[in-house]
Amino acid sequence: MTALQYDPLQIEARWQQLWARERTWEVTNAHDAGGRSSNAYVLEMLPYPSGEPHIGHLKCYALGDAIAHFNRRLGRRVLHPMGYDAFGLPAENHAIKTGVHPRVSTAESIAEFQRQFRSWGVSIDWSRELATSEPSYYRWTQWIFLELFRSGLAYRKDAAVKWCPFDQTVLANEQVDADGRCERCGNLVEVRQLEQWFLRITDYAERLLNDLDAIDWPANVKTMQRNWIGRSEGAEVVFRCDELAIDYPVFTTRPDTLFGATFFVMAPEHPDVMRLVQGTEHEHEVHEYVNVALNETNEERGNADKPKTGVPLGRTVTNPVNGEQIPMYVADYVLMEYGTGAIMAVPAHDERDYAFARAFDLPIRRVIDPAGGSDAADDQPLPYTGDGVLVNCSVEFDGLPNREALGEIVRWLDHEGKGHASVNYKLRDWLVSRQRYWGAPIPILHCDECGLVPVPDDQLPVELPDIDDYTPKGRSPLAAAEDWVNTTCPQCDGPARRETDTMDTFVDSSWYFLRYCDPHNELAAWDPEALREWMPVDQYIGGVEHAILHLMYARFFCKALADLGHLDFEEPFQALFTQGMVTKDGAKMSKSRGNVVSPASIVERVGADAARCYILFVGPPDQDADWSDAGVEGVHRFLSRLWRLAAETAERCGPPSGAPEADTGARGDDLVLLRKAHWATDKVSGDLRRFAFNTAIAAVMELLNDCSRLRDTVDPQMLRFALATAASLLFPFAPHVCADIYERLAGERVWEAPWPNADEELLERDVYELVCQVNGKLRDRVEAASDASEDELKQLCLAAPNVQAHVDGKQIVKEVVVPGKLVNVVVR
RNA sequence: GCGGCGGUGGCGGAAUGGUAGACGCGAGGCCCUCAAAAGGCCUUGUCCGCAAGGGCGUGUGGGUUCGACUCCCACCCGCCGCACCA
């Protein structure tokens, strides 16, 4: 008899062909089929097609596929689509280097992604596949942009923007890292004044913050979003420059310290700085300082440990609470992008203001006393940022606890017209224009007569023209396509020029999950009925690197589109799961390190099932995992053993006549194996619900170990049942081999079989091993009946030989009985 | 500095306050074989002991409890996010 040999490549090819031929994973928008509650939308973040998929993709889609399969087996109709975030800089940079059109290189990459995703056996509804670079998709990206434009949520503004000198493009704040470097190329970013397109996400700051409470996302992602939104409560207080009759509002979270404000500082970027010193003796010095400050990198400027620098403006403003004239300075520790770009400085109660005051020998006045207004106030160290009682303010406020005074002072300011309570956010409006070629053109025309004119909807898409030269020149490469740029204004029929900037690719990916619901609609971005069937996404899966940008933008889009009447929900992703990174030898995989593990080579060697199982078995999926070739081999051995024993058992049992059923009268080893199968069913079901895929796979391993151990002593039909159960439970992780095994053992398609149910009665045993402790230490184990009384358990424990040895000669103080678990005898 | 997460064998990792180390990797021994590969069986936290058994053991120090990897307090270390945000 020839030994049966597990051949993953042959098995996987066979099932993949069947699933492709029968379009097994496609779902329709059948509005009648049980409604939204019996549907599930499982979505992994769409890949950026560059080169070929890496191990991180394998982990993401293995994870999502397990969830998709589990939901299907629970009887839900599952939408599980795939697409490509196909616009973007890497393809364009590649084009600059090689001259290959981004459309061509992107298409090649997409083809490779498709090929590999299919070779992994991921259960995707390929009929809904899309790429954001297709005109049939970006036509609707442009339509959304115009909807935002028409409602005032997209606008053009001259702004100090982050500019990457290498990529020759403007960047969003979010695309500049903490060191002031371009997220993509790592070069230091500069600041330039340019007219750009923005989306008014700041209008949604409060809702983006509050609605986090209602969604099932990881705590750290919510925290990151909250930090990024950066809400602070305080007051806006007006400081007036009487000489020039200009009011300068500032934002402060500490209006209670207003009496301690002894100077006033503006950001170097503040538009009034030069105006304030024009024609004065300070003009030259200020000019020099501002120049230096603006040329500093964010890295240098953002360092909190840096000594404070600045120069006086030679002007004063009036402190509204006490009428004092306080001097104005310009200093780079004040940021233009936060608050109003100017601050009141309270050196006694703010670290930074204190450092500045010491450096410039400015007065420091304590207005809060931690000791409660005692004579010892002056002995307390400064700066003091905690709470206390107001001192040195005015008869009206002195002696009040500062938190109380805060409200009083704001009320007073409001009454006097010198300020009001205010909320400030760190979140900035989203800069979406890019001076690059490979993106969706912004569908706006510039007409000398009519100004900014939206391209009429019936003329969408504004197609990206072919060009020969992608080299960035500080303006969009599209500007060179004269025939394309010059057009006619639809309003006045006069000459008009097309907007030559393209959109940030984050715009493309902010709504793709909507398009999957209705991907072929040529009349609209989507049919609201289709969205009602699937949205919001039940389970979204992706890397934590998108915790802020993509997830915030997508949430913003849904809220804005809901306000415009296009959606009837506001949060796109009901639940989010963030997967951990896959490392090699503890380090991030990268070409420069030379430690990249290619999924294709693994699949070729041990098959997709082993690769997928391993990546989920290695540890909890939300944590980082280190790739180990030996570990993959171990999982491959497990699948081999499973398949071989199943194939042998199938031969022994003859042709299957349907799913095996357990013999309810099983005894001895048959009962042991039957119980193990039900235990595994229970364990895997629970583990799948809590994303504990590693322990779920371990449970199936245990089941197989018992099958192997008992293979010659149990009834072959029981073995058949246990192995079919193992295949059924493992199917979400290793679909091909499990489909193969299930067919051999049950003659049925495992994905059409309902998820198995664990029999409660078989999970309980009539006897169990009672743990016997003395003073909390394990001393013996004895067999106990499940229905034994507490007294009986106590007697059993005391009768255990090794318990007696430890109790002998001592006084029993008490006995703790935990039925089903243990007895603890406390002795003295 | 602030916020979040984590620290368990040689390694990845298991453990609703109740047998610490499931499952896997690695290692050692054995079987099969002319031999190897593949496969199978056994051992594997650590120390003492021939064994039975016992001591120790989840970053450190305290605490709560009959009982703590798990809960509380303080600290050390590591990772991630934010950071001159007024």
Side-chain angles (χ1 to χ4, degrees), chain A residues 54-69:
Chain A
H54 52 74
I55 291 281
H57 290 112
L58 179 70
K59 181 168 181 175
C60 185
Y61 298 110
L63 224 157
D65 208 34
I67 296 165
H69 276 311

Side-chain angles (χ1 to χ4, degrees), chain A residues 209-224:
Chain A
L209 184 67
N210 292 337
D211 292 353
L212 286 172
D213 295 336
I215 48 181
D216 181 16
W217 285 23
N220 62 326
V221 175
K222 288 189 181 184
T223 304
M224 282 159 78

Side-chain angles (χ1 to χ4, degrees), chain A residues 641-697:
Chain A
R641 281 205 317 270
L642 176 63
W643 185 88
R644 257 185 286 121
L645 185 56
E648 281 169 30
T649 305
E651 285 195 352
R652 266 169 76 192
C653 292
S657 55
E661 295 197 14
D663 175 4
T664 45
R667 298 161 66 181
D669 284 347
D670 280 22
L671 184 58
V672 168
L673 191 55
L674 177 64
R675 286 205 158 116
K676 190 70 182 183
H678 281 267
W679 167 84
T681 300
D682 183 59
K683 173 83 178 143
V684 173
S685 306
D687 284 354
L688 270 168
R689 287 192 173 87
R690 59 187 185 101
F691 298 91
F693 304 124
N694 53 334
T695 50
I697 293 168

Side-chain angles (χ1 to χ4, degrees), chain A residues 239-273:
Chain A
F239 285 71
R240 187 172 178 82
C241 176
D242 292 315
E243 284 173 284
L244 300 175
I246 308 172
D247 281 342
Y248 287 110
V250 302
F251 174 76
T252 177
T253 53
R254 295 295 303 275
D256 52 323
T257 64
L258 203 39
F259 285 92
T262 53
F263 57 102
F264 186 95
V265 191
M266 293 177 116
E269 296 88 348
H270 198 291
D272 279 7
V273 165

Side-chain angles (χ1 to χ4, degrees), chain A residues 461-577:
Chain A
V462 174
E463 285 209 42
L464 192 59
D466 273 342
I467 59 166
D468 305 320
D469 185 5
Y470 317 100
T471 323
K473 298 175 181 68
R475 58 172 194 173
S476 170
L478 286 176
E482 286 291 323
D483 290 350
W484 178 82
V485 171
N486 291 306
T487 184
T488 310
C489 175
Q491 285 177 16
C492 69
D493 282 334
R497 294 176 61 81
R498 290 188 189 279
E499 170 64 61
T500 57
D501 284 358
T502 53
M503 284 186 241
D504 180 3
T505 52
F506 277 112
V507 177
D508 307 325
S509 57
S510 290
W511 74 281
Y512 75 103
F513 43 88
L514 303 174
R515 185 64 178 174
Y516 281 144
C517 298
D518 195 10
H520 307 297
N521 196 328
E522 290 180 8
L523 304 173
W526 54 78
D527 175 354
E529 279 301 318
L531 296 196
R532 243 164 250 143
E533 188 147 358
W534 301 110
M535 289 298 295
V537 172
D538 293 279
Q539 185 63 59
Y540 199 35
I541 299 142
V544 74
E545 65 271 19
H546 293 110
I548 299 174
L549 304 186
H550 163 59
L551 291 170
M552 186 86 77
Y553 294 148
R555 295 180 62 222
F556 160 57
F557 259 45
C558 286
K559 289 176 194 304
L561 288 165
D563 286 354
L564 295 171
H566 297 304
L567 304 178
D568 51 15
F569 57 90
E570 291 197 20
E571 284 294 335
F573 314 120
Q574 180 45 46
L576 173 70
F577 187 89

